Amino acid sequence: MSKKNAFYAQSGGVTAVINASACGVIEAAREHSDKIGHVYAGRNGILGALHEELIDVNEESVETIAALRHTPSGAFGSCRYKLKSLEENRAEYERLIEVFKAHDIGYFFYNGGGDSADTCLKVSQLSETMGYPIQAIHIPKTVDNDLPHTDNCPGFGSVAKYVAVSTMEAALDVASMCATSTKVFILEVMGRHAGWIAAAGALAQQEEGDAPHIILFPEVAFDKDKFLKKVQDTVDEKGYCVIVASEGAQYADGTFLADAGTTDAFGHKQLGGVAPTLANMIKAELGLKYHWALADYLQRAARHIASATDVSQAYAVGRAAVEKALEGKNAIMPCIVRDQGPEYGWSIGEAPLSEVANVEKMMPKEYISEDGFGITEAGRDYLLPLIQGEDYPPFKNGVPQYAKLKKVLVDKKLEDGFKG
Amino acid sequence: MSKKNAFYAQSGGVTAVINASACGVIEAAREHSDKIGHVYAGRNGILGALHEELIDVNEESVETIAALRHTPSGAFGSCRYKLKSLEENRAEYERLIEVFKAHDIGYFFYNGGGDSADTCLKVSQLSETMGYPIQAIHIPKTVDNDLPHTDNCPGFGSVAKYVAVSTMEAALDVASMCATSTKVFILEVMGRHAGWIAAAGALAQQEEGDAPHIILFPEVAFDKDKFLKKVQDTVDEKGYCVIVASEGAQYADGTFLADAGTTDAFGHKQLGGVAPTLANMIKAELGLKYHWALADYLQRAARHIASATDVSQAYAVGRAAVEKALEGKNAIMPCIVRDQGPEYGWSIGEAPLSEVANVEKMMPKEYISEDGFGITEAGRDYLLPLIQGEDYPPFKNGVPQYAKLKKVLVDKKLEDGFKG
């Protein structure tokens, strides 16, 4: 069997550690240069394959590839591009395989969430029926922590650490000023469907009663009266109240709070967001002075405060993808397996893509406290190990020194462009 | 002369390093226990003095005081309470001096911005005329960097570093996704009157053309057409555009953008903020997909990414306050003096409070680039040294381990409470 090339692509929203997975893939592939030829990376994710825009990773130095480990976001470019179903657009999948064939690619490493696991699986299946079999390995990545079979998802631990640290720091700010100023602080975090990221805010608590005092999860129907009472009670008792709100917080009927706030009584579109909606509610009903922050991209790009555990795991699943491919595995996802027992430890396992694709793992009910505003001990036991350890990037001129790639494109071999 | 006690209070909005100044004051005072008796701290700033709520700093261990150096926000409590003018409320000042007299306080260390410098000066003057002279030393503190006579203000360098790092990281996120997703990212930062904090965003730039591509300062009148053209041109050229906007950005007539966005055509109040206002404008006029973040308290509380230079300077002005008091100085502020010459270096000088109180130092025009959307080399030369060095706090359980004070109150000695 001749030596095949590998294709690596980043998919969907990026994270602080997805490049650590890229680093793992590339370093492992380079160690096995007797079995793997070139590593190509998709320029802007899977679009790079469709458009035959392949970045020649061989042009990047050992130092640059090592620096990917501490560089946030998608260094090769990612994209929000969901391939249609096989029935709807078989040509798209055929195009992928055509490009892979033209560049002698035998390994497809796709680094993403649930949608990309599905694409990965289909590429593997269709390539088989087209007589050009490709080993397709999915590398897990998502800040949403919603992939099944893996104990947690690379990318989540670092967002969780950012949210815990930011909540703790902002809470100290509010506490110190609350006698004469702001009484309520709201931090809006990501998580449209699952409350994992909001739950991580609870890791700011060192003792019972510490901030955050209220967490709003998408999984718990928002009850305005109960919420406002809890805010007032907390302010009465502590002097201030800190809230971590998931962007997906919603009423019992499924209406998002963010949407609820975006239209006024006359039907005019207003600027939305959960935090300003809650702030407005608190001001109108309780008359309390508030402040709010919207972390947005800052949270998933915050490599400067990444979890060392997360970085190690992201790197490990990247390496494992290559090693498993070389063992002949196909249509699988390396995943993180938590050790049994009281001490936290982990190893790399694997899951078949047929069981990963399009399955969302929600936060277990038993992780949410009875009043719906916090997490349980079980939730804390699950979350706490994921934010352990600091893994600071090197700094230069006062700011992190992140990798800059050359991104040299490989010459095209196909005459026709992609007609997507 | 008998040994006098000292009173320390924190004033106004807190910073990531104001407690480093407290640490400097307390450690220096303890080294001079032959000359300074107890150190008392105001519970919630100057209110603690007015209400005779004095925290006995002697009750805090050496370790706790040392930990203040890496703890953000006001550990003793701060407040937004501006003393009225002497003419309007002489009783307030007399009350302060009465409390100081009751607790044998001879040194008043007031850690704050322009307003507190003014209070500090008045206390010194009035105490003299009342026959109970107090040495009043003002310790500079403000994220706004707007105090005169000092080269920069403790607190600013850490916000600047946070804004530079966050801008750099979010820009990588946008860059990696811009082919198919968000084209414009806006980070809203503090600075109602002066654009120092927004200017710090420019320190994310490593090479010409790097993000942020647009900075909006309060000092430069907002020109909507020019702004939108710059956004579109940047997206056309780079594929994306990153904007750092000061909360104080305003039109030529002085209307704040944040206010401009808070009322719709029917006069209904809407939720404001500069970032959502700009985002709305970009969406409506250019049809570009946007994201925005509002850093709010996260920026001034972010001790985890503090500037080591800022921490050292905050500590040094605290120590210097005590040392200068022991030299017999009164009504002064220790300040930071930048060395002459190309290499950055600094020392501690002093300025008379009469020249500090109520004077705002604006950003020099020559620090803002000709097009009004960035900073000049002179601006960069001024700012860059202030964010140098990392000074990470210790971590435990994945989050920073910040000081927790006992805050034991001293017994009251005055029969009457404060009638403020």
Side-chain angles (χ1 to χ4, degrees):
Chain A
M1 195 180 96
S2 76
K3 205 163 79 171
K4 291 282 185 190
N5 298 319
F7 177 78
Y8 167 82
Q10 302 179 321
S11 179
V14 294
T15 81
V17 301
I18 180 171
N19 290 328
S21 293
C23 176
V25 167
I26 297 162
E27 289 187 349
R30 287 183 174 183
E31 286 169 26
H32 295 285
S33 57
D34 54 325
K35 291 174 196 134
I36 296 177
H38 278 252
V39 176
Y40 300 127
R43 180 171 180 243
N44 299 324
I46 200 71
L47 284 181
L50 290 169
H51 294 301
E52 206 191 347
E53 294 182 337
L54 310 184
I55 294 165
D56 191 347
V57 175
N58 279 21
E59 298 282 339
E60 311 292 345
S61 70
V62 170
E63 293 72 28
T64 301
I65 298 305
L68 284 178
R69 191 179 160 117
H70 63 250
T71 300
S73 303
F76 299 101
S78 182
C79 68
R80 290 212 183 281
Y81 186 86
K82 188 175 153 87
L83 272 77
K84 297 189 187 69
S85 70
L86 262 178
E87 296 68 34
E88 271 184 284
N89 200 343
R90 190 181 174 94
E92 237 173 19
Y93 291 90
E94 287 174 350
R95 166 73 183 180
L96 278 184
I97 291 158
E98 203 183 338
V99 170
F100 289 168
K101 200 169 171 179
H103 292 275
D104 206 21
I105 287 163
Y107 309 99
F108 174 35
F109 300 112
Y110 204 21
N111 203 170
D115 283 350
S116 55
D118 183 58
T119 301
C120 201
L121 175 61
K122 281 177 183 147
V123 166
S124 167
Q125 292 167 338
L126 194 66
S127 71
E128 194 78 45
T129 64
M130 283 175 70
Y132 185 77
I134 285 166
Q135 282 173 257
I137 313 277
H138 181 251
I139 304 167
K141 169 243 69 167
T142 168
V143 294
D144 292 329
N145 202 36
D146 61 357
L147 289 169
H149 285 286
T150 185
D151 180 65
N152 59 287
C153 300
F156 170 68
S158 294
V159 178
K161 190 177 185 87
Y162 174 92
V163 169
V165 172
S166 298
T167 300
M168 178 183 250
E169 292 180 332
L172 286 175
D173 190 315
V174 184
S176 70
M177 298 288 294
C178 69
T180 57
S181 184
T182 302
K183 308 281 188 213
V184 180
F185 176 78
I186 307 159
L187 174 62
E188 177 172 338
V189 302
M190 287 180 167
R192 193 129 258 248
H193 304 296
W196 290 111
I197 297 176
L203 302 180
Q205 296 160 343
Q206 301 299 290
E207 291 169 25
E208 191 161 333
D210 277 359
H213 309 103
I214 299 178
I215 299 175
L216 297 180
F217 305 98
E219 290 88 346
V220 179
F222 180 75
D223 178 331
K224 186 175 166 178
D225 292 341
K226 194 177 152 198
F227 167 74
L228 288 172
K229 184 178 183 309
K230 175 85 177 173
V231 171
Q232 186 65 62
D233 288 352
T234 306
V235 171
D236 289 346
E237 193 197 335
K238 309 270 176 193
Y240 69 105
C241 179
V242 173
I243 301 160
V244 177
S246 167
E247 60 179 345
Q250 52 196 270
Y251 288 97
D253 67 0
T255 316
F256 288 111
L257 265 77
D259 290 343
T262 55
T263 311
D264 71 11
F266 293 78
H268 306 119
K269 278 266 177 195
Q270 294 195 11
L271 303 163
V274 171
T277 301
L278 293 169
N280 216 31
M281 199 181 278
I282 287 163
K283 176 77 182 166
E285 307 270 344
L286 306 177
L288 294 169
K289 184 164 190 239
Y290 62 80
H291 258 251
W292 55 275
L294 176 62
D296 197 65
Y297 287 170
L298 305 192
Q299 69 200 285
R300 71 182 197 190
R303 182 60 184 80
H304 75 271
I305 188 67
S307 151
T309 302
D310 192 28
V311 174
S312 301
Q313 292 178 341
Y315 180 80
V317 292
R319 283 198 73 91
V322 172
E323 286 155 6
K324 286 178 187 292
L326 292 176
E327 289 166 17
K329 300 286 175 66
N330 188 6
I332 57 130
M333 175 182 88
C335 58
I336 295 153
V337 180
R338 187 182 291 231
D339 292 354
Q340 302 285 326
E343 286 292 298
Y344 181 71
W346 57 277
S347 58
I348 297 293
E350 67 182 63
L353 283 189
S354 55
E355 292 179 18
V356 173
N358 298 315
V359 179
E360 255 184 330
K361 183 173 78 176
M362 305 309 285
M363 192 159 64
K365 282 268 181 288
E366 62 265 29
Y367 286 3
I368 299 175
S369 64
E370 211 170 324
D371 70 357
F373 290 139
I375 65 169
T376 59
E377 275 309 305
R380 177 172 298 272
D381 290 345
Y382 168 79
L383 289 168
L384 199 54
L386 308 182
I387 67 164
Q388 295 308 304
E390 294 69 52
D391 188 279
Y392 300 116
F395 275 68
K396 192 180 170 185
N397 285 330
V399 292
Q401 206 175 3
Y402 291 137
K404 283 212 174 183
L405 303 185
K406 287 188 274 184
K407 296 196 232 183
V408 177
L409 292 182
V410 175
D411 287 342
K412 294 193 180 193
K413 298 200 174 182
L414 297 172
E415 284 183 16
D416 294 340
F418 170 62
K419 295 166 193 80
Chain B
M1 196 179 97
S2 76
K3 203 162 78 171
K4 290 281 183 190
N5 298 318
F7 177 78
Y8 167 82
Q10 302 179 320
S11 179
V14 294
T15 80
V17 301
I18 181 172
N19 289 328
S21 293
C23 176
V25 167
I26 297 162
E27 290 188 349
R30 286 183 175 183
E31 285 169 26
H32 295 284
S33 58
D34 55 324
K35 291 175 197 135
I36 297 178
H38 278 252
V39 176
Y40 301 127
R43 180 172 180 242
N44 300 324
I46 201 70
L47 284 181
L50 290 169
H51 294 300
E52 204 191 348
E53 294 181 336
L54 311 184
I55 295 166
D56 190 348
V57 176
N58 279 20
E59 297 282 338
E60 312 292 345
S61 70
V62 169
E63 292 72 27
T64 301
I65 298 305
L68 283 178
R69 191 178 161 118
H70 63 249
T71 300
S73 303
F76 299 101
S78 182
C79 68
R80 288 212 185 281
Y81 186 86
K82 188 177 153 85
L83 272 77
K84 297 188 187 72
S85 69
L86 262 177
E87 296 67 36
E88 270 185 286
N89 201 344
R90 190 183 175 91
E92 236 172 20
Y93 292 89
E94 287 174 351
R95 166 72 182 179
L96 278 183
I97 291 159
E98 203 183 337
V99 171
F100 290 169
K101 199 170 172 179
H103 292 275
D104 205 20
I105 287 162
Y107 309 99
F108 174 35
F109 299 112
Y110 203 21
N111 203 171
D115 283 351
S116 56
D118 181 58
T119 301
C120 201
L121 175 62
K122 283 179 183 144
V123 166
S124 165
Q125 292 167 337
L126 194 66
S127 71
E128 193 80 42
T129 64
M130 283 176 69
Y132 184 78
I134 286 166
Q135 282 173 256
I137 313 275
H138 182 252
I139 305 168
K141 169 244 70 169
T142 168
V143 295
D144 293 328
N145 201 37
D146 61 357
L147 289 169
H149 284 287
T150 183
D151 180 67
N152 59 286
C153 301
F156 170 68
S158 294
V159 179
K161 190 177 185 89
Y162 173 93
V163 169
V165 172
S166 298
T167 300
M168 178 184 248
E169 292 180 332
L172 286 175
D173 191 314
V174 184
S176 70
M177 300 288 293
C178 68
T180 56
S181 185
T182 302
K183 308 281 188 215
V184 180
F185 176 78
I186 307 159
L187 174 61
E188 177 172 337
V189 301
M190 288 180 167
R192 196 130 257 248
H193 304 295
W196 290 110
I197 297 176
L203 303 180
Q205 297 160 342
Q206 300 301 290
E207 292 169 25
E208 189 159 334
D210 276 0
H213 309 101
I214 300 178
I215 299 175
L216 298 180
F217 306 96
E219 289 89 346
V220 179
F222 180 75
D223 177 331
K224 186 174 165 179
D225 292 339
K226 193 178 152 196
F227 168 73
L228 289 172
K229 183 176 184 309
K230 175 84 177 175
V231 172
Q232 186 65 61
D233 287 352
T234 306
V235 171
D236 290 345
E237 193 198 337
K238 309 268 178 195
Y240 69 105
C241 179
V242 173
I243 301 159
V244 177
S246 168
E247 61 179 343
Q250 53 195 269
Y251 289 96
D253 67 359
T255 316
F256 287 113
L257 265 76
D259 290 342
T262 56
T263 310
D264 72 10
F266 293 78
H268 306 118
K269 277 266 177 194
Q270 295 195 11
L271 303 164
V274 171
T277 301
L278 293 169
N280 216 31
M281 200 180 279
I282 287 163
K283 176 77 181 164
E285 307 270 346
L286 306 177
L288 295 169
K289 184 165 190 243
Y290 62 80
H291 257 252
W292 55 275
L294 177 61
D296 196 65
Y297 287 169
L298 306 192
Q299 68 201 288
R300 70 183 199 190
R303 182 59 183 81
H304 75 272
I305 189 67
S307 152
T309 302
D310 192 28
V311 175
S312 301
Q313 293 178 341
Y315 180 78
V317 291
R319 283 198 74 91
V322 172
E323 287 154 7
K324 287 179 186 292
L326 291 176
E327 289 167 17
K329 300 286 173 68
N330 189 6
I332 58 130
M333 175 182 89
C335 57
I336 296 153
V337 180
R338 187 181 292 228
D339 291 354
Q340 301 287 326
E343 286 293 299
Y344 180 72
W346 56 276
S347 58
I348 298 292
E350 69 183 62
L353 284 188
S354 55
E355 292 179 18
V356 172
N358 298 315
V359 179
E360 254 183 330
K361 184 174 77 179
M362 305 310 285
M363 193 158 63
K365 282 269 180 289
E366 62 265 29
Y367 287 3
I368 300 176
S369 64
E370 211 169 326
D371 71 357
F373 289 138
I375 65 168
T376 58
E377 276 308 305
R380 177 172 298 272
D381 290 345
Y382 169 77
L383 290 167
L384 199 55
L386 308 182
I387 68 163
Q388 296 308 305
E390 294 68 53
D391 188 278
Y392 301 116
F395 275 68
K396 192 180 170 184
N397 286 329
V399 292
Q401 205 175 2
Y402 292 137
K404 284 211 175 182
L405 303 185
K406 288 189 274 184
K407 294 195 234 183
V408 178
L409 291 182
V410 175
D411 287 341
K412 294 194 181 193
K413 299 201 172 180
L414 297 174
E415 285 184 15
D416 294 338
F418 170 62
K419 295 165 193 79

